Amino acid sequence: MITRRQFLKASAAACAASAIAAVSRASERSSYQVYLPLVHAPSAPPTDTPLPPTSVPPPPPGDDSLPQILDDAPIVGPATGTDVMAINWFVPRADRSYTAFDIGAIVGAYRSIGEMVGIDWFLALAQMAHETGHLTSFWSLRPQRNPAGIGVTGEWRADPPPDREGWAYNTQRQRWERGISFPTWAEHAVPAHLGRLLAYALTDAQANDAQRELIATALAVRPLSPTLRGVAPTILGLNGRWAVPGTTYGQSIVALARRMRYGPATLDLSAPADEDGDVMHEGS
């Protein structure tokens, strides 16, 4: 069995290679442009006959090889989207402090670690987008780097806490809030997020060695009640559990994953403009 240090080092190395390749693919452009003369066509004569509806463009090429995003999508399984889809979604929406290269590195970490443990990392990225307002919320920014409200219980205070461990001053809300900050994305934040998702989806008896290793890493950051282990093999199982009240938590993530996959050409782009308002309760 590989050690936790070896696992995370291998993950980080793979992330960097994946990120560079993904950003390159996402940003490819033609090296030249051709300009054609502008031709004005005569206006069509007025008519009372209604025009036929505009057809909806088909999904992007290559989607046939991807699993369908089900209404109650499984957490463990192959990715339901690609790194390029995720990068193209986050880059124009994330806070300006995150460059395209940064986004590529974060997405690459999700892909690399997710593939190692067999989790739908694209669905996890949709959860991250939902939780953080597409990387614009205070908790998702550096130096917090919290991808999914981990340890953000809703507790806050106006004055500095006596012990600032597990607290951060929210510059957006002008108050101290309880929550967990992570020193890096690839070696800390992403493993904590994906490992926690696996803990909800699987018991230790159901998990393989790599999955158990990642779960142990995540639960060392924030414990999870034993009663919640393995209760959510699908995304709707997180409703009212990952965060409260969270009555439609899973449905929101599925809808966002579909928008991330198909883009504005085929689906409505309505999406949360700010971070998810749900919070974690103790033990979740």
Side-chain angles (χ1 to χ4, degrees):
M1 181 192 306
I2 64 173
T3 67
R4 185 178 307 171
R5 182 181 299 273
Q6 291 171 329
F7 179 84
L8 293 179
K9 282 186 176 180
S11 301
C15 294
S18 176
I20 293 171
V23 172
S24 176
R25 292 195 302 273
S27 61
E28 285 180 349
R29 294 291 186 274
S30 176
S31 59
Y32 63 91
Q33 292 179 314
V34 176
Y35 295 91
L36 298 177
L38 179 63
V39 178
H40 292 280
S43 301
T47 176
D48 294 331
T49 305
L51 296 174
T54 304
S55 60
V56 176
D63 276 7
D64 289 344
S65 64
L66 294 172
Q68 183 182 1
I69 302 178
L70 302 175
D71 289 341
D72 193 9
I75 291 173
V76 176
T80 49
T82 68
D83 50 0
V84 173
M85 292 173 183
I87 291 169
N88 286 341
W89 179 267
F90 278 105
V91 166
R93 294 170 173 82
D95 185 84
R96 292 182 180 181
S97 64
Y98 284 118
T99 66
F101 183 84
D102 294 332
I103 299 297
I106 293 169
V107 171
Y110 272 91
R111 176 181 176 177
S112 177
I113 298 173
E115 288 178 347
M116 287 183 183
V117 296
I119 193 172
D120 184 352
W121 53 267
F122 188 81
L123 190 66
L125 279 166
Q127 183 189 21
M128 189 261 278
H130 175 68
E131 284 275 355
T132 67
H134 319 293
L135 288 175
T136 61
S137 70
F138 165 78
W139 280 104
S140 68
L141 302 181
R142 302 179 182 98
Q144 290 75 233
R145 303 181 185 85
N146 192 318
I150 299 172
V152 181
T153 62
E155 184 180 354
W156 66 275
R157 54 189 296 160
D159 57 322
D163 180 4
R164 298 188 185 184
E165 180 71 24
W167 289 82
Y169 185 74
N170 190 325
T171 54
Q172 295 175 351
R173 293 174 175 161
Q174 302 294 303
R175 66 188 191 186
W176 289 89
E177 295 180 355
R178 183 180 290 280
I180 297 173
S181 298
F182 296 92
T184 70
W185 276 99
E187 294 188 356
H188 299 89
V190 177
H193 181 196
L194 294 182
R196 194 167 194 84
L197 270 177
L198 283 176
Y200 273 96
L202 302 170
T203 63
D204 277 342
Q206 296 169 323
N208 60 34
D209 288 347
Q211 290 167 340
R212 281 191 292 270
E213 183 76 14
L214 193 62
I215 289 170
T217 297
L219 299 193
V221 174
R222 177 173 170 83
L224 183 68
S225 170
T227 61
L228 293 176
R229 288 296 309 277
V231 299
T234 61
I235 199 69
L236 297 192
L238 297 180
N239 287 3
R241 288 174 168 145
W242 186 280
V244 291
T247 53
T248 59
Y249 185 76
Q251 290 91 332
S252 297
I253 293 169
V254 168
L256 185 48
R258 287 170 175 163
R259 289 194 293 271
M260 290 171 59
R261 175 164 163 173
Y262 296 114
T266 56
L267 287 178
D268 176 34
L269 263 179
S270 59
D274 197 2
E275 60 187 311
D276 178 330
D278 298 336
V279 296
M280 280 190 170
H281 56 73
E282 290 301 325
S284 68

